[in-house]
Amino acid sequence: MALVKCPDCGSEVSDRAKQCIHCGCPIEAILCANVNTICRINDEEYDFSDELVLAMSDDIIKNSRAIGNIRRKTLLAMGDAGRLMDTMKETKRVPETFTLEYPLDAPENIFGSQKSHSVSCPYCQSTNTRKISGLSKAGSVAVWGFLATSKVSKQWHCNSCGSDF
């Protein structure tokens, strides 16, 4: 058992209490105010102050929310995020560094780079293309009738050669 200083009233409180006996401040807030909340993962620093408060709770929903927040901030695998949350819960502090057990590929390797999403014309190979809007298709049908059915089935327009594909 250790005594910690309450951030609200300044009194000393046991770290095993549920709340400050003087002002009612929750113990999670007291413990988080007195510890380092920065963790280094893969050469990047993350602040887990909110996640530490959630991890120290006995509520399963709050623990799940802590894991979700960790994953959103760091893009860690589920197993690593759970291990980090368990470490915070057991030690009542954020570790200074965390080593991954389940490293993931870089997001570019998983989702691809932005450049790989460009559409190229099958006729002139140009990437200067635009998507044909539904309004443009409807306007063509209104003006040209059944003669515009070929444009209705197309999705892209090449600004270089003028073809639809």
Side-chain angles (χ1 to χ4, degrees):
M1 180 180 92
L3 293 176
V4 292
K5 187 175 180 180
C6 176
D8 286 352
C9 68
S11 303
E12 289 191 342
V13 183
S14 168
D15 64 347
R16 295 187 183 196
K18 294 283 184 195
Q19 61 189 24
C20 175
I21 59 173
H22 304 285
C23 67
C25 180
I27 190 65
E28 293 90 4
I30 295 171
L31 293 174
C32 293
N34 293 309
V35 297
N36 177 36
T37 58
I38 305 296
C39 181
R40 188 179 238 354
I41 303 171
N42 288 343
D43 297 329
E44 288 191 46
E45 290 186 347
Y46 298 96
D47 182 12
F48 292 126
S49 53
D50 295 335
E51 291 76 15
L52 179 60
V53 172
L54 293 170
M56 289 174 42
S57 172
D58 291 330
D59 187 5
I60 295 172
I61 294 172
K62 288 183 180 179
N63 291 167
S64 299
R65 194 173 304 141
I67 292 172
N69 289 352
I70 291 169
R71 292 191 70 204
R72 270 189 292 283
K73 281 185 181 180
T74 62
L75 298 176
L76 291 179
M78 185 70 155
D80 283 331
R83 279 188 328 110
L84 180 57
M85 193 273 309
D86 288 340
T87 302
M88 288 191 280
K89 187 176 188 107
E90 291 169 7
T91 62
K92 296 182 180 178
R93 65 186 60 234
V94 176
E96 290 182 15
T97 60
F98 185 74
T99 306
L100 302 180
E101 189 174 325
Y102 309 101
L104 294 176
D105 276 346
E108 305 85 47
N109 296 343
I110 296 170
F111 301 113
S113 67
Q114 293 296 335
K115 292 180 182 176
S116 68
H117 293 294
S118 62
V119 176
S120 61
C121 175
Y123 307 110
C124 68
Q125 308 307 319
S126 171
T127 56
N128 184 13
T129 58
R130 68 173 170 81
K131 187 145 177 79
I132 299 173
S133 69
L135 186 61
S136 172
K137 291 178 184 180
S140 294
V141 169
V143 172
W144 298 103
F146 77 94
L147 297 174
T149 55
S150 64
K151 184 174 184 175
V152 172
S153 64
K154 310 296 183 185
Q155 293 184 358
W156 296 95
H157 174 79
C158 178
N159 296 325
S160 296
C161 69
S163 64
D164 294 332
F165 56 97

